[in-house]
Amino acid sequence: MNILKKIQYNAPVVLTFTFLSLAALLLDFATQGRSTQLLFCVYRSSPQDPLTYVRLFGHVLGHASVSHYMSNMMLFLLLGPMVEEKYGSLRTLAMILVTALVTGLVNIACFPNVALLGASGVVFMLIILSSMVRMEDGKIPLTMVLVVVLYLGQEIYNGVVAQDSISQLSHILGGVCGGAFGWVLNRRESAGTGGGQPSGGDSGSRRANWSASWATRRESRRTSRQARQEKKKEQSRPLDQNETDGVRWD
């Protein structure tokens, strides 16, 4: 029991996404694929069907097999916590949802007869975004260049040459989304830092900075008050015999 108490739910969005994907996979086995067809893969369907809009986001939770799930979740769990720690849980969730929406809409528009499922687009978004975590204003990290060349270049090549059931387009779109998110967030962070504002935008850090500043001002006032009191005591003290009329107290 002591060991369980030490386990920390360190990346809420990443871990919740992982467990939801596992639940979707188990539900797929239990319903022989019917749940995945209804909720966890995206394809062109009637706009009047409410589940159409659920599938636009839910398709990233669906996976075709255990190996498909494992290959995505290993990278997702490796990169996701770093991104969530850097940009916060709400931003991480928003980036996942936007990536899901973009890949889902493009698949409907370009491949109306093909169903798309899996978190590969989100994983590629994290791959590109994680390479930009320490990006400085006005500078392009070489790591990001190499990641773009190796990962997205490979997907473009496979999309042209390979004949398989893998959606290289969703990988490319996920990478593009990750690059766009990283560029915008890092520029915003640099602008906030340059303007003297906290870079992370976290309410807890702002409260901590305000509390520290208030404590410093309070300590400064207390020190000044003590100095004035000491000065009054010295001015009211009678002169000793060894003191002369030429002594002044500032």
Side-chain angles (χ1 to χ4, degrees):
M1 293 299 295
N2 292 332
I3 297 178
L4 293 177
K5 291 181 180 179
K6 294 182 179 180
I7 296 177
Q8 182 184 7
Y9 206 75
N10 59 307
V13 171
V14 172
L15 290 172
T16 302
F17 184 96
T18 303
F19 293 140
L20 288 176
S21 297
L22 178 59
L25 183 64
L26 296 176
L27 193 59
D28 177 82
F29 293 152
T31 61
Q32 297 181 348
R34 286 190 293 272
S35 61
T36 298
Q37 184 177 0
L38 285 175
L39 301 172
F40 304 119
C41 65
V42 64
Y43 47 87
R44 183 173 294 183
S45 58
S46 173
Q48 297 178 352
D49 182 4
L51 294 180
T52 297
Y53 306 99
V54 175
R55 289 190 289 267
L56 279 173
F57 298 95
H59 70 95
V60 295
L61 298 175
H63 290 86
S65 63
V66 174
S67 60
H68 186 202
Y69 171 82
M70 293 294 291
S71 61
N72 278 336
M73 289 304 107
M74 282 190 293
L75 278 174
F76 187 78
L77 288 171
L78 179 65
L79 301 173
M82 176 176 57
V83 170
E84 187 169 350
E85 181 181 0
K86 168 70 175 180
Y87 298 111
S89 297
L90 290 178
R91 284 179 174 175
T92 302
L93 177 60
M95 289 187 287
I96 291 174
L97 293 176
V98 171
T99 302
L101 180 62
V102 169
T103 53
L105 288 175
V106 171
N107 185 78
I108 290 175
C110 298
F111 307 102
N113 298 321
V114 176
L116 176 68
L117 75 163
S120 298
V122 175
V123 170
F124 269 77
M125 180 269 289
L126 293 176
I127 290 173
I128 301 300
L129 186 59
S130 64
S131 68
M132 304 174 69
V133 163
R134 299 195 179 276
M135 181 177 177
E136 297 180 5
D137 187 29
K139 298 180 181 179
I140 300 176
L142 179 59
T143 52
M144 186 194 72
V145 176
L146 292 175
V147 166
V148 170
V149 171
L150 293 176
Y151 277 89
L152 294 188
Q154 179 183 3
E155 293 307 310
I156 294 173
Y157 174 80
N158 289 338
V160 175
V161 176
Q163 299 293 328
D164 52 32
S165 60
I166 299 174
S167 176
Q168 282 81 22
L169 180 59
S170 66
H171 297 178
I172 295 170
L173 289 172
V176 171
C177 287
F181 295 146
W183 183 263
V184 171
L185 291 175
N186 280 290
R187 282 178 63 87
R188 185 175 299 173
E189 181 176 299
S190 298
T193 304
Q197 300 295 329
S199 61
D202 182 78
S203 59
S205 62
R206 287 199 298 269
R207 287 194 298 270
N209 291 337
W210 184 87
S211 299
S213 176
W214 182 81
T216 301
R217 291 196 299 268
R218 184 179 61 179
E219 181 65 21
S220 178
R221 288 196 297 268
R222 188 178 65 84
T223 303
S224 299
R225 186 167 57 252
Q226 288 179 347
R228 288 195 299 269
Q229 292 173 352
E230 291 295 330
K231 183 177 179 179
K232 289 180 180 179
K233 290 180 182 180
E234 292 292 347
Q235 288 177 342
S236 62
R237 183 176 62 84
L239 292 175
D240 294 336
Q241 294 181 351
N242 294 330
E243 292 178 324
T244 64
D245 292 337
V247 177
R248 292 183 178 180
W249 300 98
D250 296 330

